[in-house]
Amino acid sequence: SAESFGFSTTSSVISREEVYKMAEPDACTDDPFINRMLVRSIDGATAKMYRTRVWPKASSLRDIMVYANVSILVFVQGFAVLMMIGYYLPGMISIPLLLAYLGYVLLTQAHFNGTAGWEAFQKSSGGMALLEYFSMALLVEDGVDLSPDRQYLFGLHPHGAHMLGSAMISVQHEHNPIHKLFPGVFDKTKPAAATIMFYIPWVRELLLWSGWIDVSKKVLTKVLKDGKNVAIVVGGEAEALATENGKDKVILAGRKGFVRLAMQNGVDIVPTYTFFNQVSGAGFRVLKLNHRVHGFWLAAWGLYRKS
């Protein structure tokens, strides 16, 4: 649990800086961009904490990229671009363009086949901007071992306003510690999102380029049959809307389908948890990124907090 490592589940009790003070410098990794520290729990368990520093500590470009792609703006800017095309371009140009995009969305159904991933996008430094803006770290308890020869269904909890813990999976940058620690595991893992997300302009593109797929049973089964792994935000929309500042809320009632899916396909379930995955201010309806969020994401369990 979070408390076993000295972390409180009440967001006002401990700061990010205090957590880092608990960590002891550990042996250097073979990657100069990754810093490894040792964390000891109050009951004697140990874990390794991995943090990266690819971007400069203060980077306006990094911050702009995060504001544009994680804040509430991401849900409206795609529609805004389409409206501008329709308003400013002549009809003989704008109408074919808009119809072509609509046809692409409705006919290609790329989120059902999982073939629209853009490797260059997934490995770009833009993803690391997201991880470092939120000061995310990977905390792996000693003894955690994930083999590329096995298949996994990762359960991500809780959803929160944004399931930012999933970024550790989607970002395949060479300095992302989770991909260096578990080679061959997360580069073949497909995160899954609700169908409606693939019909929101720009949000759709971000998800598809990042390798996300539809969360329907048919699609997940196909991906598992192809020998890949899947990651599911089990609580879904209901859990997102239940987000409340200062409280972790997980919804599992009536959500046993992911267990059946794993059993039917003979894959291991790896439950993950992102602590303190909540927002301040007006909550989910108006996500304010001026409230900086700081996080920790674990391979087998996770900590995510707001300070």
Side-chain angles (χ1 to χ4, degrees), residues 170-189:
S170 345
V171 177
Q172 297 190 20
H173 191 276
E174 60 178 331
H175 299 305
N176 183 350
I178 199 170
H179 289 279
K180 294 185 75 72
L181 288 174
F182 305 107
V185 175
F186 290 98
D187 54 356
K188 68 173 185 179
T189 299

Side-chain angles (χ1 to χ4, degrees), residues 88-100:
Y88 287 107
L89 294 182
M92 61 183 301
I93 298 177
S94 63
I95 293 177
L97 283 176
L98 295 175
L99 289 177

Side-chain angles (χ1 to χ4, degrees), residues 20 29-37 48-54 122 127-132 135-140 144 146 165 167-187 295-299:
Y20 290 146
T29 66
D30 58 359
D31 190 327
F33 292 93
I34 299 178
N35 180 34
R36 188 174 76 183
M37 294 173 283
K48 300 295 191 305
M49 181 188 295
Y50 300 84
R51 298 183 66 199
T52 63
R53 180 59 65 195
V54 174
Q122 296 169 23
M128 294 304 291
L130 174 66
L131 300 186
E132 294 183 8
S135 298
M136 291 188 187
L138 176 68
L139 185 60
V140 182
V144 173
L146 302 176
M168 276 285 182
I169 297 176
S170 345
V171 177
Q172 297 190 20
H173 191 276
E174 60 178 331
H175 299 305
N176 183 350
I178 199 170
H179 289 279
K180 294 185 75 72
L181 288 174
F182 305 107
V185 175
F186 290 98
D187 54 356
F296 302 81
W297 198 89
L298 282 65

